[in-house]
Amino acid sequence: MDRRAFLLSSSAAAATTLAAPALAQTTAGSEDARLRTLLDRFFYDRLNDSPEQATSLGLDTGERAGLRSKLADNSAAGQARQLARTRAEKQALAAIDRAKLSPPAKIDYDVVDYQLDRTLAGERFRYGDGGSPYILSQQNGAYQDVPDFLDNAHQVKDAADADAWLARLAAFPTAIDNDTTRQREDAAKGVFAPDYILDTTLKLLGDVRDVEPGQTRMVQSYRAKLTKANLPPARGEEAERIVRERVFPALDRQRGLVRELRAKATHDAGVWRLPDGEAYYAVAAEGYTTVRMTGDEIHRMGLDQVAQLESRIDGILKAQGMSQGSVGDRLIALNKRPDQLYPNTDEGREALLNQLRGQVSAMYKRLPEVFATLPKAPVEVRRVPPSIQAGAPGGYYQNATLDGSRPGIYFINLRDTFDRPKFGLATLSYHEAVPGHHMQVMLALESTEIPLIRRRGFFSGYSEGWALYTEQLADEMGVYEGDPLGQVGYLQSLLFRATRLVVDSGLHVKRWSREKATDYFLATTGIARGRGQGEIDRYTVRPGQACSYKIGHTVWVRLRDETKARQGGRFDLKAFHDVLRLGAMPLSVLERTVKERFV
């Protein structure tokens, strides 16, 4: 989930809710209680190094109020400190006797232990930033993350909030320079993005930099917050001064580096060209999918599933009188039909958003048919901010606050409505909102049973696999009865994810070029070129992440079907779905948990 940052806005209510985790029937001195205390300590230690998360969770109050004025340390020294903490956490966790834990506590132990192991597995690669080998790209960098955070997560309710916002803006240039320094150091090792990625990065940097300070998203957002809070506008002038005198020079320095790198960048797309690149892909793919598969195995799985899905789509399209050309050709033709497109205007975009809102509302009413537990928080649909849409994915989810001050948000990228034909919109709504990400994320966040460190846990194979599973669930609920083109949209979504397996491994293992990957992707999925090119570029900078969807979907469906076969008439779909209340986990842990829970 690239930009699916599970952010929560600041609130005292959220802080109260999160600050009092239940110990779930543990007794003082028990191994369960020892583990819970240890994991909560991990959580707060990490929180103190992540001011943005503290604000997002509403925990930047009281003794942590000072965090509200800070940004995380993204320097090399800050990264080294986090790695040292990971080693210390691994050692401390090993002191817990797993054999003495209750079944729920064993899940907590295994999930955190897996997280620590995957972090340490990446230690061998002395470059990159978390899930990407590149510090700077169209999807990575403080230059876009900080303005987005200040706009969406840092609320301004009073003068203290406004001053804290200004302090963070003043810290922004340091964050930009830290990225610049680390990317320069990586470049000395031969690690920087391909030419076409740097072209888009330069465009996005220009979108931030090449406007008057007062017209930047940062200053405009801040002034709107001041007005809403009935605060004097003078602070807006200070924000404009900081942007002009400090932020812009830092952006100029960063853009200068990106231009230097662009002048010597190659067009090779895959990480195979980087130091120890083949191993990097193996570690990255396992980290995202939480399943150990070789690049060749991922590639073969993708080809097999593409063939199966093309056959299913072919049958439906023929029944609709569309029989000429490949499945991809016919999907392209369907995408071009005027009856499937909204005008690429503000009015057309609003009509599209209203269709999504209707789909989400209708599905919400049907959730009790297949779920025993529903999230308390609502979800709403919004457009991806135009200032970041060039590098943003097609859709993503942002979680709600626990105090109800902000709903969950399903963002959709509307840079061009041609990228979003009507027949595929319902499936995207089910994936990003309900029963997909909103259901899965909020049931964990609203839990009082699982530890704090796990309520916001994210494993791409689990979370994206669940969201794709719910696309299938919607079909099984009959939402496409009498709507064959809607079902084509659902199957195209599965085909889209299966094709990702092919092109992601193609880029990074088979040494495909950007052009070869793009041509295969477009010919197979029938997705519009603009959107498809953005997808390939996304896979370039996030190796392995795109594989998590279909691999995770395959595991979720298999576990459900195996449980149903094992339990026969005792099988209860609602009970199976209640596994979400246990929180996100690696797929290997999910498999063991499901088999133990449903005997």
Side-chain angles (χ1 to χ4, degrees):
M1 287 178 174
D2 301 316
R3 297 192 62 83
R4 293 187 185 99
F6 293 160
L7 297 178
L8 289 161
S9 294
S10 164
S11 70
T16 301
T17 304
L18 284 170
L23 285 181
Q25 301 184 7
T26 63
T27 58
S30 72
E31 205 69 1
D32 278 22
R34 285 186 63 211
L35 176 65
R36 177 59 67 89
T37 299
L38 181 66
L39 296 185
D40 286 348
R41 192 193 84 198
F42 288 179
F43 175 82
Y44 285 111
D45 285 348
R46 295 179 186 184
L47 195 71
N48 288 333
D49 264 352
S50 181
E52 293 93 333
Q53 184 179 150
T55 294
S56 298
L57 290 170
L59 296 176
D60 55 354
T61 59
E63 63 184 277
R64 297 182 181 83
L67 295 176
R68 191 163 181 77
S69 302
K70 299 177 181 179
L71 297 176
D73 182 0
N74 63 330
S75 68
Q79 300 298 303
R81 185 172 60 251
Q82 291 182 26
L83 188 59
R85 183 180 60 230
T86 299
R87 295 194 197 97
E89 289 175 348
K90 177 69 177 177
Q91 184 176 3
L93 187 64
I96 298 291
D97 188 345
R98 185 184 181 280
K100 294 181 180 179
L101 297 173
S102 66
K106 285 179 178 177
I107 295 175
D108 297 335
Y109 181 102
D110 292 344
V111 169
V112 175
D113 191 48
Y114 186 94
Q115 287 177 314
L116 295 171
D117 283 344
R118 296 320 305 164
T119 300
L120 293 172
E123 184 180 1
R124 64 186 284 188
F125 309 105
R126 301 291 182 173
Y127 56 79
D129 191 12
S132 175
Y134 311 119
I135 303 296
L136 294 174
S137 75
Q138 87 284 19
Q139 290 199 321
N140 304 317
Y143 78 92
Q144 57 178 288
D145 292 341
V146 172
D148 201 36
F149 167 77
L150 290 175
D151 186 10
N152 287 316
H154 188 125
Q155 295 187 15
V156 173
K157 296 181 179 179
D158 54 32
D161 290 342
D163 289 342
W165 194 102
L166 276 178
R168 277 179 158 155
L169 182 66
F172 182 30
T174 298
I176 296 170
D177 284 336
N178 285 339
D179 279 349
T180 302
T181 298
R182 291 173 60 206
Q183 181 60 85
R184 190 179 296 278
E185 291 170 351
D186 281 359
K189 305 169 189 173
V191 181
F192 52 97
D195 53 10
Y196 58 93
I197 294 297
L198 295 178
D199 285 339
T200 305
T201 305
L202 285 169
K203 178 186 181 304
L204 291 171
L205 281 166
D207 289 344
V208 179
R209 171 62 180 88
D210 294 337
V211 293
E212 290 299 315
Q215 297 303 309
T216 60
R217 178 186 180 192
M218 294 168 282
V219 175
Q220 289 192 326
S221 171
Y222 185 50
R223 283 181 166 144
K225 291 173 187 285
L226 292 174
T227 299
K228 185 176 181 180
N230 294 316
L231 292 171
R235 288 183 178 85
E237 297 174 8
E238 175 64 10
E240 191 170 335
R241 185 190 65 78
I242 293 171
V243 169
R244 178 186 300 107
E245 297 179 5
R246 301 181 58 189
V247 174
F248 278 3
L251 288 170
D252 288 340
R253 290 188 289 273
Q254 186 160 101
R255 185 155 61 170
L257 172 64
V258 176
R259 283 171 174 160
E260 289 177 27
L261 299 180
R262 175 61 182 85
K264 53 188 176 183
T266 71
H267 197 64
D268 293 327
V271 294
W272 53 264
R273 65 185 175 84
L274 304 181
D276 209 9
E278 292 182 0
Y280 183 97
Y281 184 74
V283 170
E286 183 175 352
Y288 278 122
T289 66
T290 65
V291 173
R292 184 166 295 178
M293 295 176 67
T294 67
D296 287 338
E297 288 171 335
I298 292 171
H299 201 75
R300 287 195 297 272
M301 178 182 181
L303 291 172
D304 289 344
Q305 295 205 9
V306 164
Q308 295 170 22
L309 289 162
E310 284 183 330
S311 178
R312 293 179 66 185
I313 295 171
D314 178 59
I316 299 174
L317 291 178
K318 284 180 176 176
Q320 297 301 303
M322 300 180 68
S323 58
Q324 300 299 311
S326 68
V327 167
D329 289 339
R330 282 174 277 166
L331 288 172
I332 290 172
L334 183 59
N335 196 146
K336 293 179 179 178
R337 277 178 28 178
D339 66 317
Q340 293 299 317
L341 295 174
Y342 283 102
N344 198 36
T345 62
D346 289 342
E347 293 77 11
R349 291 182 177 90
E350 188 59 32
L352 190 155
L353 290 170
N354 285 332
Q355 178 175 335
L356 300 182
R357 290 165 184 144
Q359 290 163 344
V360 172
S361 177
M363 176 54 75
Y364 239 112
K365 295 174 183 176
R366 296 197 58 186
L367 292 179
E369 297 174 21
V370 289
F371 291 96
T373 309
L374 302 182
K376 299 180 180 68
V379 62
E380 67 179 45
V381 183
R382 296 184 189 175
R383 179 184 176 184
V384 171
S387 60
I388 63 171
Q389 65 187 11
Y396 55 89
Y397 170 76
Q398 183 182 90
N399 57 253
T401 56
L402 294 179
D403 66 337
S405 64
R406 193 195 68 227
I409 303 170
Y410 153 31
F411 285 100
I412 184 168
N413 196 325
L414 297 182
R415 59 193 167 204
D416 189 341
T417 57
F418 184 77
D419 294 342
R420 291 296 168 192
K422 295 178 183 178
F423 68 90
L425 291 176
T427 288
L428 183 64
S429 296
Y430 304 144
H431 181 109
E432 299 294 347
V434 287
H437 287 310
H438 182 67
M439 177 76 66
Q440 179 255 307
V441 171
M442 291 311 301
L443 286 181
L445 272 174
E446 293 171 355
S447 170
T448 58
E449 298 301 314
I450 58 179
L452 293 168
I453 200 170
R454 291 199 51 232
R455 294 185 202 175
R456 297 181 76 248
F458 175 73
F459 296 92
S460 193
Y462 177 100
S463 298
E464 299 297 356
W466 167 262
L468 205 56
Y469 162 76
T470 63
E471 294 182 24
Q472 177 175 330
L473 179 65
D475 182 51
E476 293 167 345
M477 292 169 67
V479 298
Y480 298 118
E481 289 180 7
D483 180 17
L485 293 186
Q487 188 169 53
V488 167
Y490 150 62
L491 293 173
Q492 184 190 37
S493 176
L494 294 185
L495 177 63
F496 170 39
R497 275 40 178 256
T499 305
R500 283 176 163 178
L501 299 176
V502 179
V503 296
D504 193 87
S505 56
L507 288 168
H508 299 294
V509 177
K510 303 294 185 181
R511 304 195 176 193
W512 284 14
S513 67
R514 180 201 195 200
E515 288 71 24
K516 180 175 181 178
T518 302
D519 288 346
Y520 178 88
F521 187 88
L522 298 179
T524 303
T525 64
I527 287 172
R529 176 165 289 276
R531 177 185 168 200
Q533 189 66 81
E535 289 290 330
I536 296 301
D537 293 355
R538 168 185 168 186
Y539 313 153
T540 301
V541 303
R542 295 270 177 189
Q545 193 274 338
C547 302
S548 61
Y549 297 70
K550 200 64 179 69
I551 290 174
H553 167 250
T554 301
V555 172
W556 270 107
V557 172
R558 175 174 59 80
L559 291 178
R560 184 196 64 176
D561 292 349
E562 287 176 352
T563 302
K564 186 175 182 179
R566 187 165 58 248
Q567 292 192 315
R570 295 184 295 116
F571 177 74
D572 183 343
L573 184 60
K574 293 183 180 181
F576 178 81
H577 289 160
D578 246 12
V579 75
L580 292 179
R581 298 174 63 191
L582 301 177
M585 60 188 77
L587 292 173
S588 56
V589 178
L590 175 66
E591 182 156 8
R592 183 167 65 248
T593 300
V594 167
K595 289 180 178 178
E596 292 173 353
R597 188 178 178 91
F598 302 104
V599 295

